[in-house]
Amino acid sequence: MAAVGRPRRSCLAVPGSSVKMLGKAQGLPADQVFLDLEDAVAPLAKPDARKNVVAALNEGGWAGKTRVVRVNDLTTPWTYRDVIDVVEGAGANLDCVMLPKVQNAAQVQWLDLTLTQLEKTLGLPVGRIGIEAQIENAAGLVNVDEIAASPRVETIIFGPADFMASINMRSLTVGALIPAYPGDPYHYILMRILMAARTHDKQAIDGPFLQIRDVDGFRDVAKRSAALGFDGKWVLHPGQIDAANEVYSPAQADYDHAELILDAYEHCTSEAGGRLGAVLLGDEMIDEASRKMALVIAAKGRAAGMIRTSTFTPPTA
């Protein structure tokens, strides 16, 4: 079955340099909030942003949200200090570190070893702080299988803007379809990330849609990756959160039907149900493959906190 893990339908980006936004994010209904030390923070503002992030993690009320910090990528002079300062300052209140522009497994291994040393030194459970690996260039996509293989990696994330630049894609609209291309130019990239993620039982997260006031456009783009099986998407503005939570949750009817399939299959394979491997549920034939498909939808619904509105009644003899 596909990875479920922490709910990540909506992953809200918050600049670490903005104390106001760090405070506001705590009350928003995003599943995950990542406090950004990378692209959203100017070079001269990075030292103060680290302090802001540590304070927000330690003093804020995150109400069950997954708490993530995006550090700078390993080609910059800031990464090691990002990791050390944040984990030493707020490691007990940190769920994951997001590493951007990952190009190979060695970069994930560096972060894994650094986190392990910090956890041991600080008396934190070794391995508790996860890694989110962001694929933002051609090299990262070519090596995505080995990147996803690390036990500490929880998610593989598509970073569309840098990726588009890395392959010379002729578009300035991030995340939207390209009129001159008769298809979805991101389909291969998304599927490649999804296959690597599922091979290693990780979550797959779609990247941002930069037209923040075009919520309908956001919803249309999100539906494409949700249909493939992605677990969630970045949101850059509070107005995108509800749309992401809706799109990456099952429809109520689908969730109810999945739970009915699971109940019906459990009954039909039992002694009381006749030890049958296949049975009709209404006009639908269900079997073991149906059960596996239903498990995916039911797990997503449960993770989203959905409540079923129908119950299974075993047929009478």
Side-chain angles (χ1 to χ4, degrees):
M1 190 181 71
V4 177
R6 313 176 200 263
R8 285 184 168 96
R9 298 168 301 171
S10 50
C11 303
L12 177 64
V14 184
S17 54
S18 174
V19 174
K20 178 181 178 180
M21 290 185 182
L22 289 169
K24 182 178 179 180
Q26 296 168 32
L28 296 174
D31 286 342
Q32 171 175 301
V33 176
F34 74 87
L35 316 183
D36 195 13
L37 296 174
E38 198 213 11
D39 287 349
V41 179
L44 293 178
K46 291 185 188 294
D48 285 339
R50 294 185 193 117
K51 296 176 184 176
N52 295 340
V53 164
V54 168
L57 289 171
N58 288 336
E59 300 167 11
W62 295 99
K65 294 176 176 60
T66 299
R67 303 156 297 179
V68 179
V69 172
R70 180 167 75 160
V71 299
N72 287 275
D73 81 86
L74 276 169
T75 66
T76 73
W78 302 300
T79 319
Y80 83 99
R81 182 51 61 190
D82 290 342
V83 176
I84 291 171
D85 284 4
V86 169
V87 177
E88 283 188 342
N93 297 313
L94 177 67
D95 296 312
C96 293
V97 172
M98 185 187 301
L99 187 63
K101 300 177 179 65
V102 178
Q103 300 188 58
N104 52 59
Q107 294 180 334
V108 173
Q109 290 162 2
W110 173 87
L111 182 54
D112 187 354
L113 288 170
T114 302
L115 289 172
T116 296
Q117 291 175 341
L118 285 164
E119 288 166 338
K120 288 180 177 179
T121 300
L122 298 168
L124 299 172
V126 174
R128 188 190 65 77
I129 300 173
I131 293 174
E132 299 192 348
Q134 195 173 8
I135 304 301
E136 300 186 78
N137 53 43
L141 190 66
V142 168
N143 296 317
V144 68
D145 284 304
E146 63 181 31
I147 290 168
S150 168
R152 210 188 267 265
V153 169
E154 294 189 13
T155 70
I156 304 295
I157 305 163
F158 176 39
D162 282 283
F163 198 99
M164 291 164 67
S166 85
I167 62 172
N168 296 338
M169 186 176 283
R170 295 173 59 182
S171 175
L172 292 173
T173 305
V174 176
L177 296 180
I178 300 173
Y181 184 80
D184 184 345
Y186 307 104
H187 182 77
Y188 169 75
I189 303 166
L190 292 172
M191 285 300 292
R192 189 70 190 82
I193 287 171
L194 185 64
M195 293 304 103
R198 295 302 188 242
T199 295
H200 298 284
D201 200 29
K202 317 294 184 179
Q203 291 183 324
I205 305 299
D206 195 5
F209 181 73
L210 270 58
Q211 307 301 314
I212 60 173
R213 301 192 188 284
D214 183 5
V215 178
D216 289 338
F218 173 91
R219 185 178 282 105
D220 288 342
V221 170
K223 285 179 178 178
R224 295 203 298 271
S225 63
L228 297 178
F230 271 63
D231 299 287
K233 186 173 179 66
W234 275 17
V235 295
L236 302 182
H237 187 273
Q240 297 176 330
I241 295 175
D242 287 344
N245 288 343
E246 171 197 331
V247 170
Y248 291 95
S249 298
Q252 184 67 50
D254 291 339
Y255 172 64
D256 286 342
H257 188 55
E259 294 284 15
L260 285 175
I261 289 174
L262 294 177
D263 288 348
Y265 187 76
E266 181 180 10
H267 172 74
C268 81
T269 56
S270 69
E271 190 71 35
R275 296 182 293 177
L276 302 173
V279 69
L280 280 174
L281 178 61
D283 294 328
E284 177 185 10
M285 180 64 72
I286 63 169
D287 57 11
E288 171 62 13
S290 306
R291 184 190 69 85
K292 291 176 181 176
M293 294 169 65
L295 275 174
V296 173
I297 304 301
K300 287 181 179 291
R302 293 168 189 171
M306 297 179 71
I307 305 298
R308 62 188 297 181
T309 61
S310 61
T311 56
F312 172 70
T313 303
T316 56

